[in-house]
Amino acid sequence: LIESLSVKGFGFDWNENLFVRMDDFEAAVMYSLQPPTDVSLRNRALEFTERVRNSIDGWRLCIQKLPQNYRPEVKFWCLGVLMEYFQTSTNTYSHLTSEDRALFRHEVSQYLVAICTSSNLKPSLSISNTQDPSSVPTYLRNKLAQLIVALIGSDYPHEWPTAFENMMAFLDLESIDQSLRTDMYFRIVRACDDEVTSVRATQVNRERSMRVKDTLRATCIQSLVNSWSKFLGNVPQNAMFACWALDAARRFVEWIDITLIANNQFLPFIYSELTRRTEPNRTSFRASAAATLNAIVSKRMDAALKISLLESLRINELFAAIPFGEIVIESNSVLQVESDLGLRSAVGEIALLVRSVAMEAFECMKVSPKDTRLSEITNHALPIALGILLNQETILQDPRNEDAVEFSLELIANYVNLCKKSGIDQSSNQNLEQILNVIFKIAVFPTDYDPAQDDDAANFETARAQLITLFRNIAVTAPQHTFSVLLERIQALQSQSQFQASEVELMFTLVENVYDLAQDDPAVIELVAVVLGHAPTELSAMFPTSSRVAQASSKSGGHQMASAALMYFDLAARSHRILSRKPDVLFGILQSFFGSHGLQSSDRYTRSRCAYLLLRLVRPLRAVLADKFLENFMRALVPLVSAQDSNFLAYEDELYLYEAAGLVLGMEHANSYTRCAFFSLLITPLVKTMEETSVSTAFPLDQGMKCLRAAGSLSKGFTVLSSDVSPSISPRKLDQNESSDQGSMGVNESQTVSGVNVTLTLPVDIVSEWKSCLDAVLSMRRRDPSGMEVRKHLLFFFHRMVETLGEESIPYIESTIPDLLKESCTAPDVTSLLLLVNQAVCKFGEKLFTTMDGLFTGIVTRIFDFLPGSNLRSLVTQSEEDRERVELLKTYMAFLGCLCGNNLSGVIITPLNVPCASRVVQSVIQSATVQWNATQGGLLIIKQCCFVLQSMVSQWSNNPAIHSILSGTGFSAFISEHIPLVCVQAGITAMRICNGNFNRPNVHSVLRENIKLQHISYEYCSTPFLQQLCTVILPSFGCAPLLCEQYGKYLTTCENIDTLVPIFADVLKQILNIK
C-alpha cells in the first residue's frame, strides 16, 4: 500500500503544492484525515492507518515517525495511536515487554525535548497563514502531556521511579528556551492532576491514583512544590509562569500536606497580589491568587484544625486590605492565561473565596458556637459580599461575573439562616441591618427599567425575587429589628420632598411581605396603617396629573409609577383586617382606587389589575363600605361601568366592578333608598339592552350576552336565605369527603362573608327589578333557542336568581324547566339543567313539592333517554360519550339524594309519577351494583345510592302506594330480596377500588352509608333481611358460614356504625381474598 501511494495518484490538484514534500506515510495519514475526492485512494489510506492502529507493533512505527519533519496533524495522529495503548478496555501497553516499555518511555521523553527545540515544523493545514509556522500547536502539546501522564500512571514508581525527577530536570534544561520547557512542564502537571490525582480521576481509577499520590508524598513532593514556587516573586519574570505555578498549587493542595503550600513560599505572593494596588505596566494575578487561597481554605480537616488554619492565614487582615474599589473597576478584564485555566475574573474568584471562608466558619460554628474568632471572620467577610451586591451593575457588565453576585447572595443567605438557628446578638443585629440597607438600595427598579423594553428584565426579576426572599428570612429571624429598620426607612422616605416611584414601590412590596409574615403583630399592624394612611398623598405626588392622559414623560417612568400604585392597592387588599378598624384610612384608599393612578389610569393593565384588586378589597369589607361609604363608593363606581368609552375598561374588568357593586348593595343594613336608587342605575341599562336584543336582530346577540353576565356578576351580592328553611341534606353535605362532587350547586355554600350575615330579605323595588331582569333574560332565548352559548349563560343566571330571588324564583323554575328539558339534546345538557334543579331543591326544600311533582316525570324521562336502560354496566367503558353519561348518572343520583334528604322522596310515588317510580328504584339498585372504577367516581355513585335507598326504606315503608310500584309484592319482601345484594356488591366494589384500604376517608364514608342502609333495612324487615344477607348473599360470594353468622350477630347487637365498619371490611376482604 505504501508503495502504491504517490502524490500524483491522489488527484488533489487544488492543494497539490502542499504535498510535494510528503513521504508515503505522511501522505497516507493526511489523506485519512482529509479524504480526497477519489474514493479508492481514500479507502487505501484508511486501510493503511487502521492497519497501523491495530498492529501490536504499530507503536514502533509511530515513535519512529514522531521526530520526522512532518506536519503537526500527522504527529498528533501518531500520539493518538500511542495513547490508544493505554485505553482501559485493551491496555495494550501492559502487554509489552519491559524492554519495549523502556524504549517507549525513552522515545517519548526524547520527543518531549525535540518538540521544544524543533524550529522547522511544517505549517498545519488547520493553522491560518498568519500564524508562526515554527510554533507547536496547542493541541499537539496537550496530547504529548497526556501521553507522558499516561506513562506515569502506568509505570510510576515500579518501572519509572524517576518520572517526576526527570520532569523537573527537563524544566532546568538551559539548552531549551525557558518559555517552551516551562509551558510543557506545567501542561504535564495539569494533565497529571486531570488524569491521575484529582478527585474525579481517583473515582475512575483509585488504585492508580493512590499509588502515584502515596509515592509522591513519600519521595519528591517537596521538590515538586519548590519547582513551582521559584516562579513566584515580588515581580515575576513572566505572568503566565506565575499563573501556572499558582494553578499547580491550587490543584495539588487538596491531597498534599497543606504546609507545603500554606507557607512563606506561596502566601506572601498570594497576599501581595490580592492586596496590591493597580500599577501601570504591572500585571495583576488576583484571580489566580484568590483561587489558590480558596483551595487552601477549602481543604478538608476537622473543625479545630480548620479554625487554627483560618487564624494562621490572617483572613481578617487580608479581607480588610483588599482594594475592593479597584477590583470592581477591573471586574470586566480577565487575563487570557487565567481564562484558559478555567478561572473567573478577579471579582468572581474573590467572591468565591469570601463565600468559602464564610461557609467554613459557619461549619466550624456548629462545633464551636462561642468561638469569637469565627464571628470576626464572618464580620469581615460580609462587607465584601455586600460590596459586590452594591456594585453589581458595574460587575455584571461582563456576563461572566454573574457567579460573583450568586456567591455573595449565597453567603448572606447562609449567614441569615445561621442567625435564625443560633440567635441574635448586637453584632448580628448590626450585620442584619447592613444587609437590609443593601436590599433597600439594590432591590429598587433600575433607572429607565421597563420589562416591555428591557431584554434583561427577567434576570432582574429573578435577582429581585432572591432579595425579597432574603428580606423575608431576615424578618423571620429578627422581626422587631426588621420592623424598626423598615419603619425608619419609610419615615425617611416620607420626609423627602421628592422621591422616586421605584422607591415607593419597593416600600409597599416590603411592607406587604412583612404583613404576610406577621399579620397579628401590633408593630406590623401599625406599620401597615402608617404606610396606607400616608400613601395616597405620596401617590398623588408621584402622579402630577389627575386626567387620563400620560402620567410620565417616559414609558419606563410610567411603568414604575404604575407598579408603585398597584403594589399599594395590593397591600390594601391584603390588609382588609386592619382597614375594617380604620375607616378613615379606608376612605383615602378608595379615593386612590378611583383616582388617576387607579381605575382612571391611562394604562390598560393598571386599570385591569386595579379592578380586580378593588373586588378583593370589597369582599371582606362590604359591610363597612355599605355602612359608611355606600353613596361615595357607588357615585365613583357607576360612571365607570356606564362610560360611553367602551374600550376604557375591558369587559372582564367591568364584571369585577359589577360584582363589587353587588356585594355592597346586597348588604341588608345599608340605606334602603340609596340601595334601590343605585341598583336601578346599574340594572336598568342592562335590562333595556337585553329586551332590545330579544325583540330586534338589529342588536347583536353578543351584546345581550354581555349584559346577562354583568347582571349575573351584580347578583352575587344578593343572596336571600329563607329563615324557615334549613336543608337537611345537600350534595355537599352528603359528599363532604368526596373530591369530585358534581351536585354541589344545590347547596348555599356561604351564609356569611367575613363574619357578616348575607341578606335575608330584599326591598320590593329590588325584587321587582330582578324579576324584570330575569324576564328579559328568558326572552332572549327567542333569538337562539338551541344556541349553546345562550343556554350556558341562561343557566348561569338562573342559578344566581335562585339565590337572589329566593322563593320568588319558583314560578320561573316551574315554567322554564320543561322547555329547557325539550331543548336538551345531549347528556351534558341534561346534566347542567339537573344541577339547577338540585340547587332549587336544596334551597327551598318541601316548599318545592308541588313544583317537583309536576316536573319529576319529565326530568327522569329525559334522563333515561341518555342512560343505557337496564344495562348500566355498559358505562364502565372509557369513551367520551360514556364519560358524559356517567357524569349525568352521578348528577341524577345527587338529584334523588336531594329529594330524599329534603323530605321530598314522596314526589317519586305520587299518582302523577307512579308510572316511572319503578324504573327509578331499579336504576338506583343497578347503579349501586355496577363494578365501577376509581376514575369514574364510583365511590361517589355508590354512596349516593346507599343514601337514597336508606331514605326510600325509612320514608316509604308505611305508604300504601309503594305496593303498586312493586307490582303487588310486599315492600318488606322487596327489601329482603334486593337490599342485601346491593349492600354486599356495593361494598365489594368499594373495597376493590381502594385495594382493601378502608381507612381512606372517602372509602370509610361509603362503608358507613352502606351499614346505615343495612341497619335501617333490618329495623324494618328484621329476620327476613338478616337471613337473606347472612345465609344466602354472603355465602354466595364465598364468605365462610362462621364469619357470616358472626357478622349477623354484630349487625343486630351493635348500634355504633363506626364500630361495624372494620368488621364489615374484614368480611369483604375475605370475599376478595385481600390480605
Side-chain angles (χ1 to χ4, degrees):
L1 177 63
I2 292 178
E3 292 177 357
S4 68
L5 292 173
S6 63
V7 175
K8 298 295 183 182
F10 281 103
F12 224 50
D13 297 336
W14 62 274
N15 217 3
E16 184 176 315
N17 60 314
L18 293 177
F19 293 91
V20 171
R21 298 173 57 190
M22 287 198 304
D23 65 12
D24 293 333
F25 178 83
E26 186 177 14
V29 173
M30 289 303 300
Y31 280 110
S32 69
L33 298 175
Q34 298 186 2
T37 56
D38 190 325
V39 176
S40 176
L41 294 177
R42 170 190 172 187
N43 292 338
R44 290 158 61 197
L46 290 174
E47 181 184 352
F48 170 73
T49 53
E50 285 301 311
R51 188 184 304 169
V52 173
R53 190 189 301 273
N54 296 327
S55 173
I56 189 63
D57 291 323
W59 66 273
R60 296 182 185 274
L61 179 59
C62 292
I63 280 182
Q64 291 173 8
K65 299 299 183 180
L66 275 177
Q68 301 298 318
N69 189 22
Y70 288 156
R71 286 171 174 74
E73 289 89 338
V74 179
K75 295 176 178 288
F76 184 81
W77 183 86
C78 292
L79 291 174
V81 173
L82 296 177
M83 279 296 296
E84 291 177 5
Y85 279 71
F86 297 90
Q87 289 180 348
T88 305
S89 58
T90 57
N91 196 14
T92 310
Y93 179 80
S94 63
H95 300 301
L96 301 180
T97 64
S98 58
E99 293 78 7
D100 286 343
R101 290 199 295 271
L103 176 62
F104 198 118
R105 293 192 301 271
H106 177 268
E107 294 298 331
V108 171
S109 300
Q110 289 300 310
Y111 179 61
L112 172 63
V113 176
I115 200 174
C116 295
T117 56
S118 176
S119 61
N120 59 351
L121 288 173
K122 292 182 181 180
S124 168
L125 293 179
S126 61
I127 297 177
S128 64
N129 294 332
T130 60
Q131 187 168 345
D132 182 6
S134 65
S135 65
V136 180
T138 300
Y139 64 82
L140 192 59
R141 286 176 279 170
N142 287 338
K143 198 69 171 180
L144 177 58
Q146 292 174 5
L147 179 59
I148 293 173
V149 168
L151 286 167
I152 292 174
S154 177
D155 294 349
Y156 183 79
H158 52 281
E159 292 191 24
W160 195 12
T162 61
F164 288 95
E165 286 84 350
N166 292 350
M167 295 303 106
M168 289 183 281
F170 165 75
L171 180 62
D172 294 331
L173 282 177
E174 296 182 358
S175 60
I176 302 176
D177 179 76
Q178 185 184 24
S179 296
L180 292 174
R181 67 176 187 260
T182 304
D183 173 83
M184 279 306 306
Y185 172 73
F186 280 112
R187 287 183 190 276
I188 295 171
V189 171
R190 291 195 293 273
C192 185
D193 176 68
D194 291 338
E195 305 296 333
V196 178
T197 62
S198 67
V199 173
R200 183 192 62 80
T202 302
Q203 294 171 346
V204 173
N205 191 329
R206 180 175 180 81
E207 183 279 328
R208 178 187 63 187
S209 179
M210 298 308 298
R211 168 167 45 83
V212 172
K213 289 193 288 189
D214 289 344
T215 306
L216 272 173
R217 291 190 190 102
T219 55
C220 62
I221 190 63
Q222 180 68 66
S223 301
L224 192 64
V225 173
N226 291 340
S227 70
W228 307 335
S229 63
K230 69 181 182 181
F231 293 102
L232 307 177
N234 293 330
V235 183
Q237 298 175 352
N238 189 299
M240 288 193 298
F241 296 171
C243 290
W244 291 341
L246 290 175
D247 178 68
R250 173 177 66 88
R251 291 168 176 268
F252 278 65
V253 73
E254 70 177 1
W255 60 271
I256 65 175
D257 188 345
I258 196 170
T259 59
L260 295 173
I261 305 298
N263 55 35
N264 291 332
Q265 290 180 298
F266 287 89
L267 291 181
F269 179 78
I270 292 174
Y271 289 173
S272 67
E273 291 303 316
L274 288 173
T275 59
R276 187 184 301 279
R277 299 286 175 177
T278 303
E279 302 176 13
N281 303 321
R282 170 71 164 81
T283 303
S284 173
F285 315 105
R286 298 192 207 275
S288 296
T292 305
L293 185 57
N294 179 45
I296 295 173
V297 169
S298 302
K299 187 175 176 65
R300 289 176 295 179
M301 59 186 72
D302 61 41
L305 293 176
K306 181 69 72 172
I307 295 173
S308 299
L309 173 64
L310 294 175
E311 185 178 24
S312 67
L313 292 175
R314 297 179 290 125
I315 292 294
N316 296 342
E317 299 175 25
L318 173 65
F319 285 173
I322 291 178
F324 186 76
E326 297 186 15
I327 293 173
V328 171
I329 296 174
E330 300 171 359
S331 61
N332 296 319
S333 60
V334 183
L335 287 179
Q336 184 60 47
V337 62
E338 292 182 327
S339 179
D340 292 342
L341 293 172
L343 299 181
R344 303 169 182 82
S345 65
V347 70
E349 291 297 340
I350 289 175
L352 178 58
L353 168 63
V354 173
R355 187 206 67 172
S356 298
V357 169
M359 295 300 290
E360 294 293 343
F362 296 159
E363 286 298 315
C364 292
M365 285 181 182
K366 296 178 181 178
V367 179
S368 303
K370 297 183 179 181
D371 195 320
T372 57
R373 294 172 295 179
L374 298 174
S375 58
E376 284 296 319
I377 291 174
T378 302
N379 292 339
H380 282 82
L382 275 174
I384 298 179
L386 294 174
I388 290 174
L389 294 182
L390 285 172
N391 291 275
Q392 61 178 308
E393 185 174 353
T394 301
I395 293 172
L396 291 178
Q397 290 177 2
D398 187 342
R400 294 175 295 181
N401 292 329
E402 290 181 359
D403 284 351
V405 177
E406 291 295 326
F407 293 149
S408 300
L409 279 173
E410 184 181 351
L411 187 162
I412 296 169
N414 279 279
Y415 175 75
V416 173
N417 289 334
L418 179 68
C419 292
K420 186 188 301 184
K421 295 177 181 178
S422 60
I424 306 296
D425 56 20
Q426 184 176 359
S427 176
S428 56
N429 255 334
Q430 294 174 352
N431 289 333
L432 292 176
E433 185 171 346
Q434 291 180 12
I435 298 172
L436 288 173
N437 288 329
V438 170
I439 293 174
F440 295 152
K441 292 179 181 179
I442 66 176
V444 296
F445 290 136
T447 306
D448 298 329
Y449 171 77
D450 185 355
Q453 300 175 343
D454 192 347
D455 294 336
D456 295 329
N459 294 335
F460 172 75
E461 292 294 338
T462 301
R464 192 175 200 248
Q466 292 177 318
L467 293 172
I468 298 300
T469 301
L470 181 61
F471 172 81
R472 290 174 66 92
N473 288 337
I474 295 175
V476 172
T477 302
Q480 299 305 319
H481 189 62
T482 303
F483 305 156
S484 174
V485 172
L486 183 57
L487 181 60
E488 291 176 5
R489 186 74 180 182
I490 293 170
Q491 292 171 341
L493 185 63
Q494 292 173 343
S495 65
Q496 298 176 12
S497 57
Q498 293 183 347
F499 43 81
Q500 297 295 322
S502 57
E503 295 177 325
V504 178
E505 187 275 340
L506 179 63
M507 174 183 70
F508 293 150
T509 300
L510 297 181
V511 172
E512 180 180 290
N513 278 274
V514 165
Y515 184 64
D516 283 345
L517 293 172
Q519 295 186 8
D520 297 322
D521 192 296
V524 174
I525 294 174
E526 184 61 29
L527 179 65
V528 173
V530 168
V531 171
L532 293 177
H534 287 78
T537 303
E538 295 162 1
L539 289 172
S540 299
M542 287 195 303
F543 292 90
T545 175
S546 60
S547 65
R548 292 184 178 182
V549 298
Q551 298 170 340
S553 58
S554 66
K555 289 185 177 180
S556 59
H559 168 266
Q560 297 190 14
M561 292 178 182
S563 297
L566 290 178
M567 281 308 306
Y568 167 66
F569 296 136
D570 193 275
L571 175 62
R574 292 172 183 264
S575 309
H576 57 84
R577 291 199 299 172
I578 298 175
L579 295 177
S580 65
R581 299 189 296 269
K582 295 183 178 293
D584 53 332
V585 177
L586 177 59
F587 182 75
I589 291 171
L590 291 175
Q591 288 181 316
S592 298
F593 263 107
F594 290 104
S596 59
H597 43 278
L599 290 167
Q600 299 283 349
S601 171
S602 62
D603 179 64
R604 188 180 185 90
Y605 174 77
T606 301
R607 296 195 300 269
S608 177
R609 180 67 179 167
C610 188
Y612 167 72
L613 292 173
L614 177 64
L615 176 59
R616 280 183 52 190
L617 179 71
V618 169
R619 279 173 180 159
L621 296 177
R622 55 184 300 200
V624 179
L625 292 173
D627 183 44
K628 299 182 180 298
F629 307 116
L630 175 61
E631 186 169 353
N632 292 332
F633 180 81
M634 295 307 302
R635 285 188 183 278
L637 185 145
V638 170
L640 292 174
V641 295
S642 305
Q644 296 296 321
D645 183 4
S646 59
N647 294 321
F648 184 69
L649 276 178
Y651 175 60
E652 294 295 334
D653 303 331
E654 288 187 355
L655 295 183
Y656 291 145
L657 297 186
Y658 274 112
E659 183 175 349
L663 289 171
V664 176
L665 293 175
M667 294 304 299
E668 185 179 25
H669 62 273
N671 181 279
S672 179
Y673 175 79
T674 306
R675 289 172 68 196
C676 294
F678 281 112
F679 177 73
S680 181
L681 286 176
L682 290 172
I683 198 66
T684 301
L686 302 178
V687 173
K688 182 179 179 182
T689 301
M690 287 188 286
E691 289 174 344
E692 293 172 342
T693 302
S694 64
V695 299
S696 174
T697 57
F699 291 89
L701 184 60
D702 182 62
Q703 192 65 31
M705 291 296 101
K706 288 183 177 180
C707 291
L708 190 158
R709 291 186 63 193
S713 295
L714 182 63
S715 71
K716 291 180 181 179
F718 297 86
T719 299
V720 177
L721 291 181
S722 301
S723 58
D724 59 339
V725 174
S726 179
S728 59
I729 293 294
S730 69
R732 174 71 69 188
K733 294 178 180 178
L734 179 62
D735 306 310
Q736 57 187 348
N737 293 319
E738 296 290 345
S739 61
S740 57
D741 177 16
Q742 297 298 320
S744 60
M745 290 299 296
V747 64
N748 174 35
E749 296 184 8
S750 177
Q751 298 184 9
T752 63
V753 180
S754 295
V756 180
N757 290 329
V758 297
T759 303
L760 293 177
T761 60
L762 287 178
V764 175
D765 291 346
I766 292 180
V767 172
S768 177
E769 296 272 14
W770 277 125
K771 286 184 176 181
S772 299
C773 184
L774 183 53
D775 288 332
V777 170
L778 293 174
S779 66
M780 278 202 304
R781 291 176 54 241
R782 304 191 193 106
R783 283 285 300 272
D784 188 11
S786 60
M788 293 302 299
E789 193 70 15
V790 175
R791 179 188 177 89
K792 181 180 72 174
H793 290 301
L794 170 63
L795 288 175
F796 156 74
F797 190 72
F798 228 129
H799 278 293
R800 291 302 319 141
M801 288 301 98
V802 169
E803 298 298 326
T804 301
L805 291 176
E807 295 171 13
E808 297 285 346
S809 65
I810 293 178
Y812 291 94
I813 294 173
E814 191 170 346
S815 62
T816 306
I817 294 297
D819 292 337
L820 293 176
L821 280 172
K822 294 177 183 177
E823 297 166 6
S824 299
C825 302
T826 64
D829 289 345
V830 181
T831 300
S832 60
L833 182 58
L834 204 52
L835 290 173
L836 174 62
V837 176
N838 288 355
Q839 178 192 16
V841 169
C842 291
K843 180 77 174 179
F844 307 123
E846 294 181 53
K847 292 185 177 182
L848 208 65
F849 188 95
T850 302
T851 301
M852 290 309 303
D853 186 26
L855 294 176
F856 182 79
T857 296
I859 290 174
V860 296
T861 300
R862 197 61 176 147
I863 292 172
F864 292 148
D865 288 342
F866 295 96
L867 293 181
S870 61
N871 187 22
L872 289 176
R873 291 173 177 79
S874 64
L875 292 179
V876 297
T877 59
Q878 298 296 319
S879 68
E880 180 62 20
E881 182 180 354
D882 282 339
R883 189 196 65 78
E884 293 174 349
R885 291 192 291 174
V886 168
E887 290 300 315
L888 174 58
L889 179 62
K890 287 193 287 189
T891 312
Y892 165 52
M893 288 302 150
F895 166 62
L896 295 179
C898 291
L899 291 178
C900 294
N902 291 280
N903 297 321
L904 291 174
S905 64
V907 167
I908 304 174
I909 54 176
T910 61
L912 189 62
N913 299 316
V914 162
C916 67
S918 177
R919 188 173 181 185
V920 170
V921 174
Q922 291 300 324
S923 67
V924 176
I925 293 175
Q926 289 182 40
S927 299
T929 55
V930 171
Q931 295 185 7
W932 302 105
N933 57 53
T935 59
Q936 294 173 313
L939 292 176
L940 173 60
I941 295 175
I942 293 172
K943 184 176 179 180
Q944 290 172 332
C945 292
C946 290
F947 173 75
V948 171
L949 290 172
Q950 291 172 34
S951 301
M952 290 178 176
V953 171
S954 60
Q955 296 175 19
W956 293 0
S957 58
N958 297 319
N959 194 318
I962 193 65
H963 298 288
S964 61
I965 296 174
L966 302 177
S967 302
T969 62
F971 190 46
S972 176
F974 175 83
I975 295 174
S976 301
E977 179 182 355
H978 294 282
I979 300 301
L981 178 62
V982 169
C983 294
V984 176
Q985 184 63 65
I988 290 173
T989 302
M991 292 295 286
R992 182 183 291 111
I993 290 175
C994 70
N995 197 25
N997 182 13
F998 70 91
N999 287 318
R1000 282 168 45 184
N1002 52 353
V1003 179
H1004 191 276
S1005 65
V1006 170
L1007 294 183
R1008 289 187 87 257
E1009 294 297 326
N1010 192 320
I1011 294 173
K1012 283 183 183 179
L1013 176 59
Q1014 296 177 43
H1015 257 290
I1016 293 174
S1017 300
Y1018 175 72
E1019 289 175 2
Y1020 179 73
C1021 299
S1022 187
T1023 303
F1025 169 81
L1026 189 65
Q1027 288 180 341
Q1028 181 72 6
L1029 174 66
C1030 297
T1031 64
V1032 178
I1033 302 300
L1034 284 176
S1036 69
F1037 280 93
C1039 184
L1042 180 60
L1043 186 59
C1044 295
E1045 181 181 352
Q1046 291 175 343
Y1047 178 70
K1049 291 180 179 179
Y1050 280 119
L1051 184 62
T1052 56
T1053 58
C1054 182
E1055 297 293 333
N1056 191 316
I1057 301 297
D1058 290 323
T1059 302
L1060 283 173
V1061 168
I1063 299 173
F1064 186 49
D1066 288 338
V1067 173
L1068 298 174
K1069 283 183 179 181
Q1070 196 220 39
I1071 293 174
L1072 293 170
N1073 196 24
I1074 297 177
K1075 300 295 185 182

